[in-house]
Amino acid sequence: MEYFFNFAKMSYVQGLKTDGCILCEIIKNRDPRNDLTVFEDDLFTIVVNLYPYNPGHLMIFPGRHIEDIRDYSPEESARLHELSCRFLSILDASHHPSAYNIGYNMGYNAGASIKHIHLHIIPRYPRELGIADLLAGKRVLVESPMDTAAKIRAALS
């Protein structure tokens, strides 16, 4: 098996962990130096994924801590749909993807490393494969999450 290392992620792996939910902490305690929040209202927060699969990778999550999509209120379900459509249009304008993967990892065995339910919107692009994809089976990102957040914030205004 081939390995591809991301040494910058070590500070995340070894860093101080919150006792609670990381998404709840994002809502409560923002550090403006590394805030990837691009939208927030009474029901939802939208952030650029700190470890994105592709440029423009967003996560949409409710302000209240729930772990199952069946726990959304009708108002939350409607608002989530509205925000998803709005941010697809924003990503179309800011990043020009050719397609999207949209979905949840609900439950640990589905890959949910964060219990607080969150919807991923992952832009997809033609010719995504690079040398690391081919040789190591890993992704090479061409845009930092901070730059992505700045582009999306600019597209919102």
Side-chain angles (χ1 to χ4, degrees):
M1 173 182 276
E2 298 273 340
Y3 292 97
F4 193 75
F5 296 99
N6 177 354
F7 297 109
K9 196 168 181 178
M10 187 55 71
S11 62
Y12 171 77
V13 171
Q14 293 178 338
L16 294 174
K17 302 291 187 248
T18 178
D19 288 333
C21 169
I22 187 67
L23 297 183
C24 290
E25 288 297 315
I26 286 172
I27 293 168
K28 287 186 231 168
N29 303 309
R30 284 211 195 103
D31 180 344
R33 294 170 296 169
N34 59 9
D35 185 15
L36 294 174
T37 303
V38 295
F39 177 86
E40 182 178 40
D41 68 11
D42 292 344
L43 296 177
F44 285 94
T45 298
I46 303 175
V47 297
V48 172
N49 193 319
L50 181 60
Y51 297 103
Y53 188 75
N54 269 339
H57 181 168
L58 300 177
M59 296 185 342
I60 304 176
F61 54 94
R64 66 187 184 102
H65 183 101
I66 61 174
E67 299 179 11
D68 190 306
I69 62 172
R70 293 166 287 195
D71 293 332
Y72 282 135
S73 69
E75 180 185 15
E76 287 169 327
S77 292
R79 184 64 174 148
L80 178 61
H81 179 75
E82 179 185 325
L83 288 171
S84 297
C85 291
R86 179 178 177 195
F87 275 83
L88 287 170
S89 295
I90 288 168
L91 287 168
D92 283 346
S94 67
H95 284 77
H96 312 289
S98 61
Y100 291 95
N101 290 119
I102 301 170
Y104 296 100
N105 296 340
M106 195 169 77
Y108 182 77
N109 289 322
S113 59
I114 299 172
K115 289 182 179 183
H116 191 138
I117 198 73
H118 55 285
L119 178 70
H120 290 269
I121 297 179
I122 304 170
R124 301 306 303 261
Y125 303 94
R127 300 174 301 283
E128 287 180 354
L129 290 180
I131 191 69
D133 300 293
L134 295 171
L135 296 179
K138 300 294 177 188
R139 307 292 299 173
V140 174
L141 296 173
V142 297
E143 181 176 86
S144 85
M146 294 303 284
D147 291 344
T148 300
K151 276 186 184 178
I152 292 170
R153 289 181 189 124
L156 273 169
S157 36

